Amino acid sequence: MLNVSGLRKRFGSLEAVKGVSFEVPKGICYGLLGPNGAGKTTTISMIVGTLEPDGGSVTILGKKTGLNGYEAKRLIGYVPQEIAVYDELNALDNLRFFGSLYGLIGDEFTTRRDAALEVTSLTDRAAEPVKNYSGGMKRRLNIAIALLHRPELLILDEPTVGVDPQSRNAIFVTLRALQNDGMTLLYTTHYMEEVEKMCQRVAVMDHGAIVAEDSIAGLQRLVPAPNRVRIELESPPQRPLLFPDGVRDQELEGTTLTLEIEDLNADLPQALAALHSQDLRFVTVETKETSLEEVFLHLTGKNLRD
């Protein structure tokens, strides 16, 4: 579907994008992550064809993008980070204006307009001025506009910035429905939980380059984290806990006990037996996998960069 090969972009002495390459298969949601200044926005701008690369290429279904890549651009729906709608118009007129840019008129436009409003749950408010919309509704209208020409690839740049949890969930429902219908999504966000919910593959950018690219499970394996087990005790212990050597560390907060264990299969049964021998009963036991946030910090560092 989308092939990004050796993209480069320099602004004066700053090399913002340094040979970025990745492929997005058809029908998946692909996450592009990175700290501030990593080069994500510049990369997205080159993919959608609003910024000419200094080197490399982008193709969508074999068609090359770029400032004059009109065939490829028609395959893209773009939802920018900044809301791009006309507040004084209602949703119907916004859609009519943007539809006209694609030459959509008459019955064809009406059919596509109604479908876009339906999938974004805006049909009942379509005649209302956009200035009365919440931030989440404006975001959904941006998605509806991007869907009018039935793109093959939908690119979303921070689509949930500044929206409330209900609106965010509505956006997720919309995007899952689009993906289930076969649409390919390229998704950038700073919210790790969104990536974990939405994306099948993820690329992590830092300092203008891709530093890791894999499934979420594959990225989690990059972090040399110990096996962690969280145990909810029936009551707090009254004395220090003793465990066999396979338990490397322990942390107790009230009745929640977190253990770092050398080998889950060999050492976890012994740890539970040690609790039993100390007259402690447990309510739940669960293993804790490495979070995507831990992977991100491991790959890009913990210092904030603006």
Side-chain angles (χ1 to χ4, degrees), residues 201 213-225 289-292 295 298-299:
R201 292 191 71 81
E213 194 274 352
D214 208 331
S215 65
I216 291 177
L219 292 176
Q220 288 169 331
R221 289 192 288 270
L222 297 176
V223 181
E289 64 182 7
T290 302
S291 69
L292 189 57
V295 174
H298 174 73
L299 293 171

PDB file of all heavy atoms in Angstrom, residues 201 213-225 289-292 295 298-299:
ATOM      1  N   ARG A 201       1.098  -2.382  13.642  1.00  0.00           N
ATOM      2  CA  ARG A 201       2.557  -2.206  13.553  1.00  0.00           C
ATOM      3  C   ARG A 201       2.890  -0.767  13.926  1.00  0.00           C
ATOM      4  O   ARG A 201       2.060   0.138  13.750  1.00  0.00           O
ATOM      5  CB  ARG A 201       3.108  -2.534  12.169  1.00  0.00           C
ATOM      6  CG  ARG A 201       3.022  -4.013  11.820  1.00  0.00           C
ATOM      7  CD  ARG A 201       3.818  -4.332  10.565  1.00  0.00           C
ATOM      8  NE  ARG A 201       5.257  -4.253  10.762  1.00  0.00           N
ATOM      9  CZ  ARG A 201       6.002  -5.216  11.317  1.00  0.00           C
ATOM     10  NH1 ARG A 201       5.435  -6.341  11.745  1.00  0.00           N
ATOM     11  NH2 ARG A 201       7.313  -5.077  11.435  1.00  0.00           N
ATOM     12  N   GLU A 213      11.065  -0.650  14.403  1.00  0.00           N
ATOM     13  CA  GLU A 213       9.826  -0.857  13.661  1.00  0.00           C
ATOM     14  C   GLU A 213       9.423  -2.319  13.801  1.00  0.00           C
ATOM     15  O   GLU A 213      10.195  -3.220  13.496  1.00  0.00           O
ATOM     16  CB  GLU A 213      10.023  -0.483  12.194  1.00  0.00           C
ATOM     17  CG  GLU A 213       8.734  -0.342  11.396  1.00  0.00           C
ATOM     18  CD  GLU A 213       8.223  -1.641  10.811  1.00  0.00           C
ATOM     19  OE1 GLU A 213       8.942  -2.664  10.875  1.00  0.00           O
ATOM     20  OE2 GLU A 213       7.088  -1.633  10.298  1.00  0.00           O
ATOM     21  N   ASP A 214       8.199  -2.542  14.314  1.00  0.00           N
ATOM     22  CA  ASP A 214       7.771  -3.928  14.552  1.00  0.00           C
ATOM     23  C   ASP A 214       6.311  -3.906  14.998  1.00  0.00           C
ATOM     24  O   ASP A 214       5.699  -2.835  15.119  1.00  0.00           O
ATOM     25  CB  ASP A 214       8.642  -4.574  15.634  1.00  0.00           C
ATOM     26  CG  ASP A 214       8.748  -6.091  15.482  1.00  0.00           C
ATOM     27  OD1 ASP A 214       7.789  -6.701  14.950  1.00  0.00           O
ATOM     28  OD2 ASP A 214       9.778  -6.651  15.898  1.00  0.00           O
ATOM     29  N   SER A 215       5.779  -5.081  15.279  1.00  0.00           N
ATOM     30  CA  SER A 215       4.512  -5.166  16.001  1.00  0.00           C
ATOM     31  C   SER A 215       4.740  -4.680  17.427  1.00  0.00           C
ATOM     32  O   SER A 215       5.890  -4.548  17.885  1.00  0.00           O
ATOM     33  CB  SER A 215       4.006  -6.603  16.009  1.00  0.00           C
ATOM     34  OG  SER A 215       4.904  -7.422  16.743  1.00  0.00           O
ATOM     35  N   ILE A 216       3.664  -4.417  18.154  1.00  0.00           N
ATOM     36  CA  ILE A 216       3.812  -3.976  19.543  1.00  0.00           C
ATOM     37  C   ILE A 216       4.506  -5.049  20.362  1.00  0.00           C
ATOM     38  O   ILE A 216       5.409  -4.757  21.162  1.00  0.00           O
ATOM     39  CB  ILE A 216       2.439  -3.601  20.138  1.00  0.00           C
ATOM     40  CG1 ILE A 216       1.921  -2.328  19.461  1.00  0.00           C
ATOM     41  CG2 ILE A 216       2.534  -3.391  21.651  1.00  0.00           C
ATOM     42  CD1 ILE A 216       0.553  -1.888  19.906  1.00  0.00           C
ATOM     43  N   ALA A 217       4.122  -6.306  20.157  1.00  0.00           N
ATOM     44  CA  ALA A 217       4.770  -7.396  20.896  1.00  0.00           C
ATOM     45  C   ALA A 217       6.261  -7.464  20.570  1.00  0.00           C
ATOM     46  O   ALA A 217       7.101  -7.696  21.452  1.00  0.00           O
ATOM     47  CB  ALA A 217       4.087  -8.723  20.569  1.00  0.00           C
ATOM     48  N   GLY A 218       6.605  -7.231  19.301  1.00  0.00           N
ATOM     49  CA  GLY A 218       8.015  -7.239  18.915  1.00  0.00           C
ATOM     50  C   GLY A 218       8.789  -6.104  19.554  1.00  0.00           C
ATOM     51  O   GLY A 218       9.937  -6.282  19.990  1.00  0.00           O
ATOM     52  N   LEU A 219       8.180  -4.916  19.618  1.00  0.00           N
ATOM     53  CA  LEU A 219       8.846  -3.790  20.271  1.00  0.00           C
ATOM     54  C   LEU A 219       9.036  -4.046  21.764  1.00  0.00           C
ATOM     55  O   LEU A 219      10.064  -3.675  22.344  1.00  0.00           O
ATOM     56  CB  LEU A 219       8.038  -2.511  20.062  1.00  0.00           C
ATOM     57  CG  LEU A 219       7.976  -1.955  18.639  1.00  0.00           C
ATOM     58  CD1 LEU A 219       7.052  -0.748  18.581  1.00  0.00           C
ATOM     59  CD2 LEU A 219       9.366  -1.581  18.129  1.00  0.00           C
ATOM     60  N   GLN A 220       8.058  -4.679  22.386  1.00  0.00           N
ATOM     61  CA  GLN A 220       8.161  -4.953  23.821  1.00  0.00           C
ATOM     62  C   GLN A 220       9.345  -5.860  24.133  1.00  0.00           C
ATOM     63  O   GLN A 220       9.960  -5.748  25.194  1.00  0.00           O
ATOM     64  CB  GLN A 220       6.861  -5.585  24.327  1.00  0.00           C
ATOM     65  CG  GLN A 220       5.702  -4.609  24.401  1.00  0.00           C
ATOM     66  CD  GLN A 220       4.368  -5.282  24.638  1.00  0.00           C
ATOM     67  OE1 GLN A 220       4.162  -6.430  24.237  1.00  0.00           O
ATOM     68  NE2 GLN A 220       3.450  -4.586  25.287  1.00  0.00           N
ATOM     69  N   ARG A 221       9.691  -6.716  23.196  1.00  0.00           N
ATOM     70  CA  ARG A 221      10.823  -7.629  23.422  1.00  0.00           C
ATOM     71  C   ARG A 221      12.173  -6.915  23.352  1.00  0.00           C
ATOM     72  O   ARG A 221      13.206  -7.495  23.711  1.00  0.00           O
ATOM     73  CB  ARG A 221      10.781  -8.775  22.407  1.00  0.00           C
ATOM     74  CG  ARG A 221       9.644  -9.766  22.657  1.00  0.00           C
ATOM     75  CD  ARG A 221       9.810 -11.029  21.837  1.00  0.00           C
ATOM     76  NE  ARG A 221       9.556 -10.808  20.423  1.00  0.00           N
ATOM     77  CZ  ARG A 221       8.361 -10.932  19.846  1.00  0.00           C
ATOM     78  NH1 ARG A 221       7.312 -11.283  20.572  1.00  0.00           N
ATOM     79  NH2 ARG A 221       8.221 -10.716  18.551  1.00  0.00           N
ATOM     80  N   LEU A 222      12.189  -5.661  22.873  1.00  0.00           N
ATOM     81  CA  LEU A 222      13.441  -4.911  22.792  1.00  0.00           C
ATOM     82  C   LEU A 222      13.914  -4.407  24.153  1.00  0.00           C
ATOM     83  O   LEU A 222      15.082  -4.056  24.309  1.00  0.00           O
ATOM     84  CB  LEU A 222      13.274  -3.713  21.850  1.00  0.00           C
ATOM     85  CG  LEU A 222      12.956  -4.020  20.389  1.00  0.00           C
ATOM     86  CD1 LEU A 222      12.737  -2.722  19.626  1.00  0.00           C
ATOM     87  CD2 LEU A 222      14.063  -4.843  19.755  1.00  0.00           C
ATOM     88  N   VAL A 223      13.008  -4.336  25.122  1.00  0.00           N
ATOM     89  CA  VAL A 223      13.348  -3.788  26.440  1.00  0.00           C
ATOM     90  C   VAL A 223      13.792  -4.913  27.356  1.00  0.00           C
ATOM     91  O   VAL A 223      13.044  -5.878  27.570  1.00  0.00           O
ATOM     92  CB  VAL A 223      12.141  -3.052  27.054  1.00  0.00           C
ATOM     93  CG1 VAL A 223      12.500  -2.474  28.416  1.00  0.00           C
ATOM     94  CG2 VAL A 223      11.683  -1.939  26.123  1.00  0.00           C
ATOM     95  N   PRO A 224      15.005  -4.816  27.900  1.00  0.00           N
ATOM     96  CA  PRO A 224      15.496  -5.870  28.789  1.00  0.00           C
ATOM     97  C   PRO A 224      14.849  -5.797  30.168  1.00  0.00           C
ATOM     98  O   PRO A 224      15.498  -5.549  31.181  1.00  0.00           O
ATOM     99  CB  PRO A 224      16.996  -5.582  28.868  1.00  0.00           C
ATOM    100  CG  PRO A 224      17.106  -4.099  28.681  1.00  0.00           C
ATOM    101  CD  PRO A 224      16.002  -3.740  27.710  1.00  0.00           C
ATOM    102  N   ALA A 225      13.526  -6.001  30.200  1.00  0.00           N
ATOM    103  CA  ALA A 225      12.797  -5.886  31.462  1.00  0.00           C
ATOM    104  C   ALA A 225      12.650  -7.259  32.119  1.00  0.00           C
ATOM    105  O   ALA A 225      12.502  -8.273  31.433  1.00  0.00           O
ATOM    106  CB  ALA A 225      11.417  -5.294  31.218  1.00  0.00           C
ATOM    107  N   GLU A 289       3.266  -7.141  31.510  1.00  0.00           N
ATOM    108  CA  GLU A 289       4.149  -7.043  30.369  1.00  0.00           C
ATOM    109  C   GLU A 289       4.713  -5.629  30.245  1.00  0.00           C
ATOM    110  O   GLU A 289       4.181  -4.676  30.818  1.00  0.00           O
ATOM    111  CB  GLU A 289       3.414  -7.420  29.087  1.00  0.00           C
ATOM    112  CG  GLU A 289       2.290  -6.492  28.725  1.00  0.00           C
ATOM    113  CD  GLU A 289       1.554  -6.925  27.482  1.00  0.00           C
ATOM    114  OE1 GLU A 289       1.827  -8.014  26.959  1.00  0.00           O
ATOM    115  OE2 GLU A 289       0.697  -6.149  27.035  1.00  0.00           O
ATOM    116  N   THR A 290       5.796  -5.509  29.513  1.00  0.00           N
ATOM    117  CA  THR A 290       6.400  -4.200  29.279  1.00  0.00           C
ATOM    118  C   THR A 290       5.423  -3.314  28.519  1.00  0.00           C
ATOM    119  O   THR A 290       4.847  -3.719  27.504  1.00  0.00           O
ATOM    120  CB  THR A 290       7.692  -4.363  28.462  1.00  0.00           C
ATOM    121  OG1 THR A 290       8.587  -5.226  29.168  1.00  0.00           O
ATOM    122  CG2 THR A 290       8.366  -3.019  28.241  1.00  0.00           C
ATOM    123  N   SER A 291       5.200  -2.100  29.009  1.00  0.00           N
ATOM    124  CA  SER A 291       4.272  -1.181  28.338  1.00  0.00           C
ATOM    125  C   SER A 291       4.951  -0.525  27.149  1.00  0.00           C
ATOM    126  O   SER A 291       6.186  -0.438  27.063  1.00  0.00           O
ATOM    127  CB  SER A 291       3.792  -0.103  29.314  1.00  0.00           C
ATOM    128  OG  SER A 291       4.859   0.779  29.641  1.00  0.00           O
ATOM    129  N   LEU A 292       4.134  -0.030  26.217  1.00  0.00           N
ATOM    130  CA  LEU A 292       4.677   0.678  25.058  1.00  0.00           C
ATOM    131  C   LEU A 292       5.379   1.960  25.501  1.00  0.00           C
ATOM    132  O   LEU A 292       6.352   2.385  24.886  1.00  0.00           O
ATOM    133  CB  LEU A 292       3.561   0.988  24.065  1.00  0.00           C
ATOM    134  CG  LEU A 292       3.995   1.528  22.699  1.00  0.00           C
ATOM    135  CD1 LEU A 292       4.953   0.566  22.015  1.00  0.00           C
ATOM    136  CD2 LEU A 292       2.788   1.785  21.824  1.00  0.00           C
ATOM    137  N   VAL A 295       8.841   1.034  26.341  1.00  0.00           N
ATOM    138  CA  VAL A 295       9.591   0.823  25.103  1.00  0.00           C
ATOM    139  C   VAL A 295      10.014   2.167  24.514  1.00  0.00           C
ATOM    140  O   VAL A 295      11.170   2.365  24.125  1.00  0.00           O
ATOM    141  CB  VAL A 295       8.738   0.044  24.082  1.00  0.00           C
ATOM    142  CG1 VAL A 295       9.466  -0.042  22.739  1.00  0.00           C
ATOM    143  CG2 VAL A 295       8.412  -1.344  24.597  1.00  0.00           C
ATOM    144  N   HIS A 298      12.754   3.741  26.488  1.00  0.00           N
ATOM    145  CA  HIS A 298      13.990   2.978  26.294  1.00  0.00           C
ATOM    146  C   HIS A 298      14.662   3.356  24.971  1.00  0.00           C
ATOM    147  O   HIS A 298      15.894   3.478  24.897  1.00  0.00           O
ATOM    148  CB  HIS A 298      13.681   1.478  26.322  1.00  0.00           C
ATOM    149  CG  HIS A 298      14.849   0.605  25.984  1.00  0.00           C
ATOM    150  ND1 HIS A 298      15.911   0.398  26.841  1.00  0.00           N
ATOM    151  CD2 HIS A 298      15.125  -0.117  24.852  1.00  0.00           C
ATOM    152  CE1 HIS A 298      16.789  -0.420  26.271  1.00  0.00           C
ATOM    153  NE2 HIS A 298      16.335  -0.742  25.070  1.00  0.00           N
ATOM    154  N   LEU A 299      13.855   3.576  23.929  1.00  0.00           N
ATOM    155  CA  LEU A 299      14.396   3.844  22.602  1.00  0.00           C
ATOM    156  C   LEU A 299      14.781   5.304  22.389  1.00  0.00           C
ATOM    157  O   LEU A 299      15.708   5.599  21.625  1.00  0.00           O
ATOM    158  CB  LEU A 299      13.377   3.438  21.534  1.00  0.00           C
ATOM    159  CG  LEU A 299      13.090   1.938  21.418  1.00  0.00           C
ATOM    160  CD1 LEU A 299      11.902   1.712  20.492  1.00  0.00           C
ATOM    161  CD2 LEU A 299      14.314   1.191  20.900  1.00  0.00           C
TER     162      LEU A 299
END
